[in-house]
Amino acid sequence: MQFKHKYTTIRLVFLFLSGIMLMFIVAPLLGLFFSTSLPGLFETMKDPQVKGSIGLTLGVSALFTVLAGFFALPLAYIMARKEFRGKAFVQGLIDIPIVLPHSAAGIAVLGLIARDSALGRLAEALGLNLVGSPFAIGVAMAFVSVPFLINAARDGFQAVPERLEQAARSLGASPFRVFRQISLPLARPSVITGLVLMFARGMSEFGAVVIVAYHPMTTPVLIFDRFNSYGLEYARPVAVLFVIICIAVFMVLRLLGRKKNKV
Amino acid sequence: MLVCKDLEYKVGNFHLKDFSLALEKGDYCALLGPSGSGKTVLLELIAGLRTLKKGSVSIDGMDCTHMPPQHRPVGILFQDYALFPHMSVFDNIAWPLVIRGRKKQEIKEAVVDFATDLDIERHLARMPESLSGGEKQRVALARTLVIHPKVLLLDEPLSALDAPLRDQSALLLKKVSLTGITILHVTHDPAEVRILANRRVTITL
């Protein structure tokens, strides 16, 4: 009886604390939605500047997520499978963008692509200015979000029994075929999670992006710009619209990933 | 047929030194030894899944010492069968032929032939997770035999099976050995290979 009483109390405390936590996540979003009028939201949806910024944000984030995948997946595989001196150091390097203040990350990326950098000079020789370009936005997004992809994919590859890869080798497969047809399909749920996280983190990035490219404006920068220039009433509908799109994209990608995994 | 000469390999505290073995075509050799004596490591060395420190491995007169595993004429049946969980039974057996670029019809015929021989043709559409231990073993064996290896390496093939199933599988292995393939069967249980093996080698710690 005493045990049952204790268990019930603990359960109630846990439920209460969990409820507070969920409210903490949901309350600001609900506040945001309820304080926005529908006509204002529809008006914002027609705004060419808003439409342009959303297209830019989603497009650049998606493109750089795919591009980063080509480099991140081999690195994740090596981190999952190989033991080498300095592995902990390399893992530390991978995690650096997560712990850096995002404005500092923006400064770092700016240093990489500025006109006086090697990459900047090369681009200038070709008649391009990287700073303030969609390329700069993509690099900033990828810099802060790629650790999510690498770490999720690494965990996925680690969960694939090495025995399966050995069996595949003994059956006549080259290491690349083993990666493509055995390791990657089996790690797919984690890889998809990583891609979704990277894409979502990239498109919501503000701190690093605003430093490398105020214009053209991504949606987070546009929200900040409208808030700064015209106040909360002008920024709120853009924020609501972007939150709706973020949630919708996130859900669709998750569902697609789940469907593919079931096949 | 299979000649291992002065094999040496070291990993952690385990040290295999000066191990030699020579098997003729059609030999069924039992490799006996207690757990942790390096029997599985030896199979992996012969299959090329680990790199030798010293020594040589040759099969059918061909030096395989530095040959990558995918080019060795060796099939290995792992203790846990290592079936690909994202492929059906059919696809598991067909996969070695698919990667060799064989034609669809040829693959289908080969898979059905082996599945019929091993009495698993009714399971071809199933996924490995839904199979029993004995069925998994037969699928793994079919997948290994479909590439016609010259040497078949068996890692404790009967240890995970119940007693009645073990006898059935032993009979199946005997049947496979009669095809003329050279077999190296790793086990810690001498009774398991009494009727199967014509050669016995003991590996000590």
Side-chain angles (χ1 to χ4, degrees):
Chain A
M1 204 62 192
Q2 178 67 23
F3 172 75
K4 195 180 175 188
H5 173 71
K6 258 185 170 176
Y7 176 73
T8 311
T9 311
I10 289 169
R11 202 165 78 161
L12 282 173
V13 170
F14 270 51
L15 279 173
F16 176 72
L17 294 175
S18 306
I20 296 279
M21 192 66 243
L22 287 174
M23 280 302 291
F24 176 71
I25 296 169
V26 172
L29 292 174
L30 285 178
L32 186 68
F33 282 105
F34 285 122
S35 54
T36 308
S37 68
L38 268 181
L41 192 61
F42 285 125
E43 201 61 38
T44 305
M45 284 163 76
K46 290 180 206 159
D47 185 335
Q49 194 186 19
V50 173
K51 282 199 280 191
S53 83
I54 288 174
L56 176 76
T57 308
L58 297 183
V60 171
S61 185
L63 178 67
F64 275 77
T65 299
V66 173
L67 285 177
F70 283 104
F71 304 92
L73 293 183
L75 176 58
Y77 186 75
I78 288 170
M79 294 305 288
R81 279 287 179 258
K82 304 290 174 195
E83 291 305 322
F84 54 90
R85 195 176 289 174
K87 187 176 175 181
F89 175 72
V90 175
Q91 184 57 54
L93 282 182
I94 291 168
D95 289 335
I96 280 179
I98 297 175
V99 295
L100 274 187
H102 287 187
S103 48
I107 298 287
V109 172
L110 190 62
L112 181 75
I113 59 170
R115 280 180 181 166
D116 56 351
S117 71
L119 196 62
R121 279 198 297 272
L122 180 71
E124 201 165 26
L126 297 168
L128 299 168
N129 181 15
L130 298 181
V131 179
S133 69
F135 176 81
I137 294 170
V139 172
M141 285 176 170
F143 182 79
V144 297
S145 61
V146 80
F148 294 97
L149 170 58
I150 298 170
N151 290 335
R154 181 203 59 211
D155 293 346
F157 288 129
Q158 256 166 2
V160 177
E162 215 168 339
R163 216 17 140 206
L164 298 180
E165 296 176 349
Q166 290 180 331
R169 290 294 303 279
S170 75
L171 291 168
S174 66
F176 181 63
R177 192 186 282 272
V178 174
F179 175 77
R180 199 163 50 87
Q181 296 190 353
I182 306 296
S183 318
L184 194 55
L186 290 173
R188 192 165 61 189
S190 301
V191 171
I192 288 176
T193 300
L195 287 168
V196 171
L197 282 175
M198 182 181 172
F199 173 63
R201 186 66 202 81
M203 72 182 186
S204 60
E205 178 55 24
F206 169 74
V209 170
V210 78
I211 285 178
V212 297
Y214 200 92
H215 291 280
M217 281 188 202
T218 62
T219 314
V221 175
L222 180 69
I223 293 167
F224 169 76
D225 183 69
R226 290 206 171 175
F227 176 71
N228 219 20
S229 309
Y230 309 110
L232 186 60
E233 285 309 308
Y234 284 87
R236 195 180 275 141
V238 189
V240 170
L241 188 62
F242 194 56
V243 168
I244 292 171
I245 288 169
C246 285
I247 292 172
V249 168
F250 193 68
M251 282 172 69
V252 167
L253 288 176
R254 281 278 183 180
L255 281 174
L256 282 177
R258 202 176 288 176
K259 261 186 186 174
K260 274 187 180 174
N261 295 335
K262 277 181 183 173
V263 172
Chain B
M1 164 53 85
L2 171 66
V3 181
C4 301
K5 204 173 167 191
D6 303 327
L7 302 190
E8 188 174 339
Y9 180 75
K10 198 170 187 300
V11 60
N13 292 330
F14 173 76
H15 194 179
L16 177 80
K17 212 175 169 188
D18 297 332
F19 180 88
S20 296
L21 175 77
L23 299 181
E24 295 300 322
K25 188 175 186 303
D27 269 351
Y28 194 119
C29 178
L31 185 65
L32 299 154
S35 297
S37 57
K39 304 183 297 293
T40 301
V41 170
L42 190 64
L43 291 193
E44 290 171 356
L45 287 168
I46 295 169
L49 299 170
R50 290 176 187 261
T51 308
L52 279 167
K53 195 177 169 194
K54 267 187 195 166
S56 65
V57 175
S58 65
I59 297 166
D60 219 6
M62 182 170 57
D63 184 11
C64 301
T65 313
H66 304 291
M67 198 181 269
Q70 69 266 29
H71 294 141
R72 297 189 184 203
V74 170
I76 181 164
L77 183 70
F78 292 100
Q79 191 173 2
D80 56 3
Y81 315 125
L83 295 177
F84 305 134
H86 58 306
M87 295 182 197
S88 68
V89 168
F90 181 94
D91 290 339
N92 260 281
I93 303 171
W95 194 73
L97 300 175
V98 173
I99 63 174
R100 282 168 173 76
R102 301 282 167 81
K103 286 180 182 159
K104 268 189 177 177
Q105 189 56 34
E106 191 188 336
I107 292 171
K108 196 178 169 188
E109 283 169 12
V111 172
V112 171
D113 278 355
F114 276 96
T116 309
D117 281 352
L118 296 171
D119 196 23
I120 46 171
E121 74 277 15
R122 63 189 177 284
H123 305 308
L124 286 176
R126 288 170 68 184
M127 297 304 282
E129 61 184 12
S130 69
L131 302 174
S132 69
E135 288 161 352
K136 278 182 188 169
Q137 190 194 51
R138 281 159 187 262
V139 175
L141 193 58
R143 187 182 66 176
T144 308
L145 293 176
V146 82
I147 56 172
H148 298 290
K150 289 180 177 168
V151 176
L152 178 62
L153 307 172
L154 307 171
D155 187 9
E156 302 267 6
L158 309 178
S159 62
L161 303 175
D162 300 335
L165 212 57
R166 201 178 297 167
D167 293 342
Q168 218 179 334
S169 286
L171 213 62
L172 178 68
L173 292 177
K174 185 74 193 169
K175 202 173 131 188
V176 172
S177 75
L178 293 175
T179 61
I181 193 169
T182 305
I183 297 179
L184 186 58
H185 177 143
V186 154
T187 180
H188 63 275
D189 179 11
E192 184 179 294
V193 284
R194 196 162 292 143
I195 57 156
L196 290 170
N198 66 325
R199 295 274 312 271
R200 275 174 186 76
V201 174
T202 303
I203 190 167
T204 48
L205 282 166

